[in-house]
Amino acid sequence: MLSEKRSSMLHGVLLITLFSLAAFYIGDMGFVKSLSFSPMIVGIILGMLYANSLRNNLPDTWVPGILFCSKRILRIGIILYGFRLTFQDVTAVGLPAILIDAIIVTVTVCGGVLIGKLLKMDRSIALLTSVGSGICGAAAVLGAESAINTKPYKTAVAVSTVVIFGTLSMFLYPVLYRNGVFDLSPELMGLFTGSTVHEVAHVVGAGNAMGQGVSNTAIIVKMIRVMMLVPALLVISWTVARNLTKRDSAEQAKGKITIPWFAILFLVVIGFNSFNLLPVALVEWINQFDTFLLTMAMTALGAETSFDKFKKAGAKPFLLAAILFVWLIGGGYCLAKYVVPMLMNI
């Protein structure tokens, strides 16, 4: 028999599970697919709609179940995300792509934190927004959120900026490419797209709209950016997190830092997956299951986010995301157009 506490917690988990199933159903609809909105994005939207409508009717005893989804299940989802990647993907695109990804990630994250400081933003939101823009969208935001243990509404604000500007990129890149504004070969356009567009789903959508020659390279380059989540989380944990926690309490200010072991396990899973020991069908099932777990985490975050908290965050996170969006397009294009050809000739 379950204790009353665990039973109440289970109610919260089941609630998020039902919302996540609905997110998968909605995400399978034609018009949602045309926007390349993943179930994760649909999930956080459903969670936020619930938070701003029926949330007050939820028993307080169910809240731990929601928090369990946004913390523990999230970490499991990040670990299993490694089954989407192999180290062979890295060697397939070569050193220039890896270097460009590293430059984009480093400049976007560090530059975003610096700009956030100049804008006098909440440091947690500035960090999460920068990580989401620089690495792999919502999944990166979730990973960073787990490393610094910030408030759910701050995570939701950062995810919202990723959704807005990632979706804009998905429509903008193919239009500019077809009209000759982006004067790049299919391979270089794929590298540019994969290294600068926010979400994996957005990269897939934009790449497919520009042709298979662009899409194949774009997806591999994007996955290399996803791998860079691991070193990024380690750096965040040992440096930025120390500064973030100093504001919370005297006890935390003594320097308690959470080591993101889930990030290490994420890398271990990538290594295991590189040996191709599991049947393709099983890996595909794991990836589908992982998407469901991440959808549960996103939905739980949404369920903890009211519009009042968006007002509290203000317009600065979206201004920061817009500045980073301009850098990703301008800086990324210059790197693909001028730096990559030089690297290939070395």
Side-chain angles (χ1 to χ4, degrees):
M1 293 290 290
L2 290 173
S3 66
E4 186 176 344
K5 182 179 178 181
R6 293 201 174 192
S7 178
S8 297
M9 181 176 172
L10 184 60
H11 287 148
V13 174
L14 289 175
L15 176 70
I16 297 302
T17 302
L18 288 173
F19 272 115
S20 301
L21 289 170
F24 262 73
Y25 179 78
I26 295 170
D28 205 37
M29 293 180 177
F31 79 96
V32 178
K33 280 187 172 181
S34 68
L35 294 173
S36 285
F37 274 18
S38 66
M40 288 189 287
I41 303 304
V42 176
I44 197 169
I45 293 171
L46 289 178
M48 289 173 64
L49 289 173
Y50 173 76
N52 291 278
S53 57
L54 303 173
R55 181 68 166 82
N56 292 333
N57 298 325
L58 178 74
D60 291 337
T61 51
W62 289 22
V63 173
I66 296 176
L67 295 176
F68 176 83
C69 293
S70 67
K71 301 290 183 184
R72 299 291 180 85
I73 288 181
L74 166 61
R75 287 172 170 81
I76 297 171
I78 294 293
I79 292 168
L80 293 180
Y81 204 83
F83 278 103
R84 302 168 195 261
L85 311 168
T86 67
F87 290 125
Q88 289 90 325
D89 293 335
V90 179
T91 58
V93 295
L95 186 60
I98 299 170
L99 291 175
I100 297 303
D101 271 345
I103 293 170
I104 291 289
V105 170
T106 304
V107 174
T108 304
V109 176
C110 296
V113 170
L114 179 61
I115 294 169
K117 192 173 182 181
L118 294 175
L119 293 173
K120 296 182 180 177
M121 281 178 61
D122 178 280
R123 283 183 286 182
S124 296
I125 296 178
L127 173 63
L128 294 174
T129 302
S130 303
V131 169
S133 297
I135 305 178
C136 56
V141 175
L142 293 175
E145 189 273 342
S146 288
I148 65 176
N149 291 314
T150 191
K151 295 177 180 177
Y153 87 89
K154 295 182 180 181
T155 306
V157 169
V159 169
S160 298
T161 66
V162 168
V163 172
I164 291 169
F165 290 100
T167 303
L168 184 59
S169 298
M170 186 182 64
F171 291 112
L172 187 64
Y173 279 45
V175 171
L176 295 179
Y177 177 63
R178 288 197 203 99
N179 287 281
V181 178
F182 289 154
D183 183 23
L184 298 170
S185 67
E187 184 180 5
L188 289 177
M189 187 64 205
L191 190 151
F192 170 46
T193 303
S195 63
T196 57
V197 174
H198 300 61
E199 284 274 356
V200 174
H202 293 149
V203 171
V204 173
N208 287 337
M210 292 182 281
Q212 190 172 356
V214 175
S215 181
N216 290 346
T217 303
I219 292 170
I220 294 173
V221 172
K222 179 62 181 176
M223 288 308 186
I224 293 173
R225 270 173 82 198
V226 173
M227 289 185 190
M228 292 181 179
L229 179 62
V230 176
L233 290 182
L234 291 174
V235 172
I236 288 167
S237 294
W238 289 104
T239 57
V240 182
R242 183 182 294 273
N243 296 326
L244 291 172
T245 53
K246 283 181 181 178
R247 299 176 301 132
D248 295 334
S249 68
E251 183 181 349
Q252 286 181 317
K254 293 176 182 176
K256 183 182 177 183
I257 302 297
T258 302
I259 299 173
W261 293 111
F262 66 93
I264 306 296
L265 290 174
F266 168 70
L267 196 60
V268 170
V269 170
I270 294 173
F272 174 80
N273 196 44
S274 299
F275 291 104
N276 296 315
L277 299 175
L278 299 180
V280 174
L282 178 58
V283 173
E284 288 178 353
W285 182 88
I286 291 172
N287 289 337
Q288 188 76 358
F289 177 65
D290 179 53
T291 300
F292 186 78
L293 293 181
L294 291 174
T295 300
M296 287 182 67
M298 294 286 274
T299 305
L301 288 168
E304 289 292 301
T305 304
S306 66
F307 292 132
D308 289 338
K309 292 175 180 177
F310 272 90
K311 292 178 183 176
K312 182 180 177 182
K316 288 181 180 178
F318 296 93
L319 175 59
L320 172 60
I323 294 170
L324 294 177
F325 176 64
V326 172
W327 143 250
L328 287 169
I329 293 178
Y333 179 77
C334 290
L335 288 170
K337 178 76 173 177
Y338 304 109
V339 177
V340 173
M342 286 192 296
L343 291 172
M344 287 179 170
N345 291 329
I346 294 176

